[in-house]
Amino acid sequence: MRVIDMTTNISGPTLTMILADLGAEVIKIEKLSGDEARKMEPKFQEDGVYFLNINRQKKSITLNLKDNSDFERLLDLIKTADVFVENYRLGIAQKLGIDYKALKEVNPQLVYCSLTAYGQHGPKKMYPGYDAIMQAETGIMSITGSEELARVPVSLIDQGSAMWGALGIVSAILQRSHTNEGSFVSTSLYETGVFWANYHLLSTKLTGENPEKLGSNHGAFAPYGAFRTSDGAIMIGISNNKLFEKLCEVLNRHEWVEDLRYCTNEERVKNRSLLMEQIEKITQAEKSDVLIQALENGGVPVAQVKTMQDVLIDPQQIENKLIIRLPHLRDKEMYATRIPLTFSNCDLTPTVPAPMLGEHNKEILGRGSIHDNK
């Protein structure tokens, strides 16, 4: 499957990275100055680490779409493609002459995916947007953290919309195998954010009240949150009465099982603050590893609140080979996170590093890379 990738920054390149890791040939088309993500910090060699991770397994060519010859080269590539992906602000692709209507004339079997900020409809459909903007727009920021305004510090909306886009493309390819026709697939950051907030939005519609900020806690369960220990913090998740009984057993608080304030999840949610305070009085007197061992032995869901450095050396991560080494130019090594999928009959581990800007110009366009004269 050949994919023409005209995306930039994070969401679009993550989408096409998923397709590349699944075996597609992805040709990344960049402007002469390159994808802006190449400039993101921190950098490894000349390019941003983020860029290097989400653009592995791809080929890079440079085109100037304002140049008639380059535009014709793009159309020639479209004729050979199965998929075209762009994440322009709505209306830009049409101005460039590469919207779905135009490219369908060039290749009727083309699956065209548009990943925008706000979607194809609505008063803000023409607006640009980023992950943090959408966390604010979709209410996610209003329920994140405790007192201070905070965003979820991972690109969950960028990467979430990438997943939906990839799923849509794969589904459209399957549909094409039955109909022999291409199709238009669209998703957006905004739609993804609203979907991720579904539980909270539906609760608000039902109750008429906005959810409060709960930090590490969960609005539906208690106790469910992080607790300080003598040397760090642990996360405990109790989602039913049976697990609460097990927690009480481990903490040697058998009386809580019959306590009218805690005997049901409904009552525990009502009395969350008091219960959490009482549990933390116990956990603060113990070391994290001692508590984790006791709770795990007792069948209670628990985890250490880990730092990124902790995760890098975690045997669970290492055994699952989630962070892998990639070769890089100039005999250097780069690391990447693999997609969280495994198949019984093939290995999805990435082996090809992200390309230099225009690295494949000669192979695909018959002309040299912009680096050839450096």
Side-chain angles (χ1 to χ4, degrees), residues 134 212 235 292 326:
M134 294 308 158
E212 60 179 315
M235 181 75 187
I292 289 172
L326 281 179

Side-chain angles (χ1 to χ4, degrees), residues 125-140:
K125 65 181 181 180
M126 308 294 286
Y127 287 22
Y130 293 98
D131 188 288
I133 301 299
M134 294 308 158
Q135 288 192 37
E137 281 277 18
T138 59
I140 292 174

Side-chain angles (χ1 to χ4, degrees), residues 92-146:
I92 299 298
Q94 185 176 10
K95 288 181 180 180
L96 292 172
I98 54 173
D99 58 312
Y100 177 58
K101 183 179 179 181
L103 296 190
K104 184 180 180 181
E105 294 295 319
V106 177
N107 182 350
Q109 292 186 312
L110 186 69
V111 171
Y112 186 113
C113 181
S114 175
L115 198 171
T116 61
Y118 284 93
Q120 302 292 314
H121 309 283
K124 290 189 173 182
K125 65 181 181 180
M126 308 294 286
Y127 287 22
Y130 293 98
D131 188 288
I133 301 299
M134 294 308 158
Q135 288 192 37
E137 281 277 18
T138 59
I140 292 174
M141 191 173 289
S142 74
I143 57 173
T144 300
S146 297

